[in-house]
Amino acid sequence: MDKWMMYSEAGGHSFLKPLPLMQRRLVFCAFLLITGVCLSHLVKGNSKEQDRLISGTISDETGSLVAGVSVALKGAAVSTVSGEGGVYQLTISGDNPILVFTHVSYEPMEIPVGQQDKIDVVLTLASTSLEEVVLVGYGAQKKRDLTGSIATLSTTQLEDQPVGQIAQRIQGRIPGVQINQTSGQPGRGMSIRIRGAASVNAGNAPLYVIDDAPIVGDINSINPNEIESITVLKGPSAVSIYGSRAANGVVMITTKQAKPGSTSVQLNVNNGVGSIPDRGKPDLMNAKEFLQFQKELFEDRIRYEGYAGGVPELYQNPEAWTGPDTYWLDELLRQSYTGSYNLTLLASKDKFKSATNLGYYDEDGAMLNTGYERFSLRTNNEYRINDNIRIGLNIAPSYQSGQNFGTDGSYAIIFAALTSPPIFSPYETGPDGNRKLRFEGPGLFTQPNWVVTLEDAINREKRLSGLANAFVEVKFLQDFTFRSAASTDMGSQSTRIFNPSTVGNIWSPPPTIPSGSYTTWNHVSWLTENTLAYNKSFADKHNVEVLAGYSSQKYRQEYNTLSGSNFPDDLVTWIDAAAVKNGGSNLNEWSLLSMYSRLNYNYDGKYLLSASIRRDGSSRFGSQRRWGSFPSFSAGWIVSDEAFMEDLPAINYLKLRAEYGLVGNFNIGNYNQYGGVSTTNYVFGGALAQGRSLTSLGNAYLTWETTRGYDLGVDIAFFNNRLSLTADYYQKEVDDMLYQVDIPRGTGFGSIQSNIGSFKFWGYEFAVNSSNLTGAFTWNTDFNISFNRNRVMKLGTNDAPIDGVGEQGTYWKTEVGRPMGLFWGYVYDGIYMNQQELESQATHVTSDVGTVRYKDLNDDGEITPEGDRTFLGDPNPKFVLGLNNSFKYKGFDLSIAVAGAFGQDIINGQLEWSENQDGVFNVRKHLADRWRSEEDPGSGNNPRTTGPGNNFFRYASSRWIQDGSYLSIKNITLGYTVPAYNKLFSRARVYLSCQQAAVFTNYQGMNPEASIQGLNGLREGVDQGAYPVPRTFALGLDFTF
Amino acid sequence: MKKLTYFLLALVFCLGSCNEEFLQVTPESSITDANFFKEESHFEQALVGAYASLRGVKGSRSAHLMGEMRSDNTFYEYNSTDRGVQYISWELMDNFLDDASGPAISEMYNNCYTSISRATAIIDNIPKVELRPEFADRAIGEAKFIRALCYFDLVRFFGGVPLYLSQVTGANDAYLPRSTVEEVYQAIESDLKDATSKLAPPAFPQRGRASRGAAKMLLADVYLTQRKYDLAHVELSDVVNMGYDLLPDYASVFDLAHKNSIESIFEIQYQMGNQGQQSSFVYWFLPITDDASLLTGTQGRVASGGWNVPTQEMIDAYEPDDERLEGSISIIQGTGPVGQMVIESIHSPVGYTTPAGKRSYRFINKFLNPHSLINNTDDNFPVYRYSEALLAMAEVLNELNRAPEALPYLNRVRNRAGLPDIVETNQEGLRKIILHERRVELAFENKRWHDLVRSGTAIEVMNQNGTYLKPLFGHLPDNSYKVTQEKLVFAIPLREILIGNLEQNTAY
């Protein structure tokens, strides 16, 4: 409780600030509960009726009328079947009549009749059915008619997971989609890569489309509980309707809609507590070991460097130490907490359909004073004015607030936790009775008190987002549909940082001069889409769909930043109080015009053809080459519908698919076609002179990056559809890569934005869905596995490689003819054990007896950065997989989700500091066994602490490469559905859920998914100490009223 | 229904009318190359920008490292508690163990070329725009001075470098091989000849722009370095008649009141305050300490210090009674280990010995002046002072076998420092005296390394320096200070070798 209080006070920006955190949660929960109960009574109501005639029409979600639906009065022997045109009539009587609609291809549906005498029904396809409708971008198709490589996932069954981000829930669920949790920072840290996508400068994030509207940011502001399903477009023809933005794949998100004819109120509450598992925590020296290490280090300094100061008193008698013995990492961690509260109102009556979700998510991170909370509201409404006109309006505001620090990476807080000497305690007090702000010791780096740093610093991010879209859809002349939609994506974000005098870093330990900054962004993106669709069947067997559309989008972002330094004290934390203030402000805009068209044709539902073309014009490209065209073709053959397949009754369904297409990537900065002119002021005669200089080179010929590829796939189902398999092979080549080509500095510039370079990608994906057991005990298994490969075909003007030049912090090199982003460095070869070895073997200028030895790869007798570095490993997994099992027995359900990646290497970059031999940090236990003299050379695997060779040991070498393969049990959930026993609710389920249950890996660090640069393809797989991921246990309740 | 249809039709029409203009999005909050270099004010702004980039070339961290710390004048404070890779690379440079991957050579190389490209952009664009001829002359003159100044540093630090003499607009003209040393000097001389004809003589008080005096001084230095003494004499004869003079007191030359004084030929301009125009190089010379306010008057930790520390041998090199010693160096006395020095008192280096229980630090004080914010000083950095013109004149005359004529120039500089006249007229003897005079007069102005190299004494002096330092500093490895002819140029940065496919200097 104390720690939570501290977070609340230090953060100080919660919505319901006057209330302590626990009370706040309780109040919110109670509010949701009461609202839910009230609403459920409002929408239901009771009635008593005489015999009466009920009629209506039955259609499916695509608007087609459905015949052959059984319509029955619940609890009575009255029933009928819908006829041609989906029309039905039924005479009923009795109290509270309920109609039950059933059909083999559709989900059954019950509708209370109430006062109505005309009930139109829209049925939903059964989820396992091939008749299921799948979004394809600007429309929907039945699953069986798809010709592109598209994966769909219903996310409602993933809601049990006690996590705040949708990407966490879908890890391992979708073939071809690699998702890593690279950091455990609350509300952050997820990285997504579809089919190995990578680009040098144009980014590899997919395009996110929410309810048909492409958004400009990521999907983090969306409450995952608002989401009904996710569709991932992967194949070249599947994505090409999104043209210039589709090269990295398209993730389409459908938010929850009311089910036709039903009304319900759902309440979901989920509370979890977590902690960081011990596996992978570094084995650092304890206090006595550290003191001994220091003692020996000074002895060596006296011996080898002529140090005259003697061994400092502190280190002279390690065994007698009775002071603190601190494992710093644990001091910075605490129990984490997650809470998720969702209220969903679904109503569909007559011509009106509405779904509203109100959500609150709250997370206290596992690291002190970090956290995240999100309020979200979404309301999706649809009106049918008449049979031909539909109007929809979706509005989704959200508010996020988080407190996070620079925890990950070089010289950040995880680094500090590894290197702070164990002989200090964060709770030591100084002469003034306050906690010490810094720790000094003979020969040690002065370290801030990291607990105080975490608790006192302010780094508060707030984000207000608003997504809204509206559409009108008009059907006319029977076969035509016109749809006009407008959407906006708005957001404003602020980051306020204040570092009081008690906060510092390892370069400037406290007390420091307080400083702060306040940065805001706001963006508005608007988008209009107008589409015309034509849908017709001729002569029973020719089915044609034609779509044409036009869209325009404009994005505008304003950025303001203020920074303040030299605050007089810590009392006022806003920039107003700073003695020195600086500010800046700028604007970024882009626009996009697009025309697109698609033709789908199938003959007899067996032979499927699709062709599409999109033409995009973007403001981001050079005036000379602004427009690009992106055509695609695909075809499918449903073999199982052929007569000759009747001999193979085990195969229910077999479809072969092929697709080919072109897509683009426009993710570069906004004004790269122009050379940049920046302010470069100077002083003449004591007065400021305004200066301007060309600071970047422009390129008027800049254009899209084009990806050309094909995909071959097969979908097959056996044994009454109980076992289904999807397999795909794809190949794609990225040309005209948008690429900041390094050029000689003699030009005055470091690089020029160009369309040069080419990457090739290929791979296999398999997905298996199996109903292992049906009946009272059901068991379903979903398994998917993906093999992604790539090769660099061409790079800049001289095929100059990317990276691999510098030394410290240089982990990667991307070179023509190899996979991208390979690890690059020296080959570790032990140490020079004695003078004889030093003299007879190749050396670096800083080599000495007892220093690190790397292999002389070019055999020239010297170790140099030019000649003796090589490719050390590959961070790209050989394959990634997901395995999900679910079981049901009576009221019990159990699901286990597993995700894994295999065959990749990872660099344990934390070793750079935690094996540092300077003697200024705490180090790993094994360094006790290091070289001290020829007579006492230690294990032969740990270099000496003295001499000039220390920095050479800090460069990437094969010593840091480890096997990064892992298999992770992401979630286990055990649920029990309580039988409905009174009228308060219609369904109640209680469950226990464990997130990040177990990680199986040989990797020695805490998180095998860590990657300081995310899954970006070129610079992947280096763990520089990431915020660890907690294992969370949660209890959840779902009520439906 | 009808209304709705009309509305929809109108909507479609409206959106359909969007055209190419919709895609024409130019930056609103900055300007681009498309609308730059169109009028006189743009060229003036570009000139200002070219001067601004000289801050990365002259008086920058890499300039202190390569021009001063590499020489026998200064060393560094060995900090065993902070073995940052960057710091180690600076130490290695001082110790002649550097390679092609250190950051200092890249900073120098890149900053020189940044200035060169800014100057070249001005030179290439002037003919395309109609400008007042007097403005165009001045602009070309200043731009060519800047370009020559940078190529002169490049050729001395790195040897023959690629000669970029016209504006690069794309990747096609970005790749040039290394030119020879002679070709680089030819280009420098050609630029400076043009600059000396186009620039006006210095006008006092000066404001910090390059004048004909600056261009001639630079050209004389270029000739002197190439041992073209006749040509150097011609230029210096002009420089000594342009109205420059020595200030009466050496220490006051570096006072804030004497920025751009009559002694200044060219200096890099700074101004303290909030406009980002401040200097801070003196903080690099201070010891690392939590509180240097006794010296600086400002509160806060000095984390960047410990570099460019004069050796005791440097202090000993001053003649007795040379006023320049106290005007250049002071002793900081205190306690605490390296990295955590507690400053207690400031002392003159004259006759100083460190008391028992105390620690001392030799500090370059000539650039320390009053300021109110930490890391925010007002000090300019000198590039050429009139005393250098006088010493260069003395050197040229001595090399032309006119030693007696050389003495008055030399003695003017010595007399100002409170030292007696030199009467030596033996060429070899006077050569040594002038070199030594330059060492103390121009101390810490990043001249020493170039002086050692061009005088042919670098190998001998620096090997001696190693012999002097190694017993004092136990951390110095045996292979340090092994100075050979090949080590007289630095490595071409590794990035340029790999990306530009350049040939590396033989020692690296």
Side-chain angles (χ1 to χ4, degrees), chain B residues 75-137:
Chain B
F75 193 61
Y76 52 87
E77 187 172 58
Y78 178 64
N79 182 0
S80 66
T81 62
D82 189 351
R83 306 271 70 217
V85 163
Q86 177 168 249
Y87 305 154
I88 293 176
S89 81
W90 298 343
E91 294 174 10
L92 292 177
M93 175 169 280
D94 195 350
N95 303 343
F96 289 84
L97 294 172
D98 51 324
D99 61 19
S101 61
I105 46 171
S106 303
E107 279 169 25
M108 176 57 73
Y109 188 93
N110 301 350
N111 292 340
C112 281
Y113 275 115
T114 299
S115 298
I116 287 167
S117 80
R118 289 184 185 179
T120 302
I122 296 165
I123 295 163
D124 283 10
N125 279 289
I126 278 185
K128 299 176 191 166
V129 187
E130 190 133 331
L131 298 168
R132 290 181 298 126
E134 62 272 27
F135 174 80
D137 274 0

Side-chain angles (χ1 to χ4, degrees), chain A residues 498 504 693 726 890 944 949 995 1031:
Chain A
F498 180 73
S693 301
T726 294
K890 296 199 170 157
R944 64 190 289 176
Q995 186 71 18
R1031 177 190 293 134

Side-chain angles (χ1 to χ4, degrees), chain A residues 904-921:
Chain A
Q904 75 276 27
D905 294 310
I906 183 168
I907 280 190
N908 187 349
Q910 299 159 76
L911 293 174
E912 181 182 341
W913 321 303
S914 57
E915 287 192 333
N916 180 304
Q917 321 132 286
D918 298 345
V920 298
F921 296 142

Side-chain angles (χ1 to χ4, degrees), chain A residues 168-224:
Chain A
Q168 287 171 290
R169 294 190 180 177
I170 61 174
Q171 246 186 314
R173 304 273 181 177
I174 308 170
V177 180
Q178 189 189 357
I179 299 177
N180 272 27
Q181 179 158 19
T182 60
S183 167
Q185 289 189 41
R188 293 183 181 175
M190 303 307 293
S191 193
I192 299 181
R193 191 175 170 195
I194 298 176
R195 284 195 165 172
S199 171
V200 181
N201 289 114
N204 68 338
L207 174 70
Y208 293 102
V209 178
I210 298 175
D211 292 330
D212 292 327
I215 61 166
V216 292
D218 63 14
I219 45 173
N220 226 9
S221 60
I222 297 172
N223 174 1

Side-chain angles (χ1 to χ4, degrees), chain A residues 436-587:
Chain A
K436 278 191 176 178
L437 297 179
R438 61 193 285 172
F439 301 106
E440 293 161 1
L444 300 176
F445 230 107
T446 302
Q447 295 269 7
N449 184 336
W450 292 98
V451 171
V452 174
T453 290
L454 276 179
E455 285 174 352
D456 288 4
I458 297 173
N459 186 342
R460 174 63 57 175
E461 239 178 55
K462 293 178 182 182
R463 189 188 289 194
L464 190 60
S465 316
L467 294 175
N469 60 67
F471 70 85
V472 54
E473 196 179 276
V474 183
K475 290 185 180 173
F476 60 100
L477 301 176
Q478 291 217 315
D479 305 316
F480 288 90
T481 307
F482 172 78
R483 183 182 160 101
S484 180
S487 61
T488 62
D489 174 349
M490 293 181 279
S492 91
Q493 189 182 341
S494 69
T495 300
R496 189 168 86 85
I497 294 173
F498 180 73
N499 289 317
S501 64
T502 54
V503 165
N505 58 44
I506 63 158
W507 313 115
S508 57
T512 53
I513 301 169
S515 64
S517 66
Y518 189 82
T519 308
T520 60
W521 299 256
N522 66 68
H523 77 261
V524 178
S525 160
W526 62 259
L527 169 73
T528 62
E529 305 256 16
N530 292 283
T531 56
L532 185 64
Y534 171 75
N535 193 339
K536 182 85 175 167
S537 297
F538 300 98
D540 275 353
K541 296 200 165 171
H542 302 274
N543 303 301
V544 178
E545 282 173 47
V546 184
L547 171 92
Y550 180 89
S551 88
S552 57
Q553 184 168 10
K554 180 128 190 169
Y555 173 85
R556 181 183 167 96
Q557 185 208 48
E558 293 171 11
Y559 169 85
N560 297 290
T561 182
L562 274 173
S563 65
S565 54
N566 294 79
F567 283 72
D569 50 43
D570 300 341
L571 295 176
V572 178
T573 64
W574 292 76
I575 307 293
D576 264 1
V580 179
K581 297 160 197 160
N582 277 301
S585 167
N586 63 49
L587 172 73

Side-chain angles (χ1 to χ4, degrees), chain A residues 438 445-446 530 580 587 591 617 619 627 674-675 680 682 685-686 692 743 745 750 807 845 918 920 954, chain B residues 1 11 15 20 22-23 26 29 33 45 49 81 83 88 101 113 207 269 271 274 290 340 479 494-496:
Chain A
R438 61 193 285 172
F445 230 107
T446 302
N530 292 283
V580 179
L587 172 73
S591 57
S619 67
W627 287 88
Y674 304 111
T680 50
Y682 194 59
R692 278 175 166 159
I743 53 175
R745 291 299 301 235
E807 290 202 293
V845 283
D918 298 345
V920 298
R954 257 179 244 166
Chain B
M1 179 65 206
L11 193 70
L15 294 171
E20 202 75 9
F22 184 77
L23 298 175
T26 50
S29 51
D33 58 349
Q45 289 162 358
T81 62
R83 306 271 70 217
I88 293 176
S101 61
Y113 275 115
R207 295 168 48 78
Q269 309 290 308
Q271 189 179 37
N274 293 343
D290 281 335
Q340 293 164 27
N479 58 345
L494 184 58
R495 178 188 183 277
E496 304 308 313

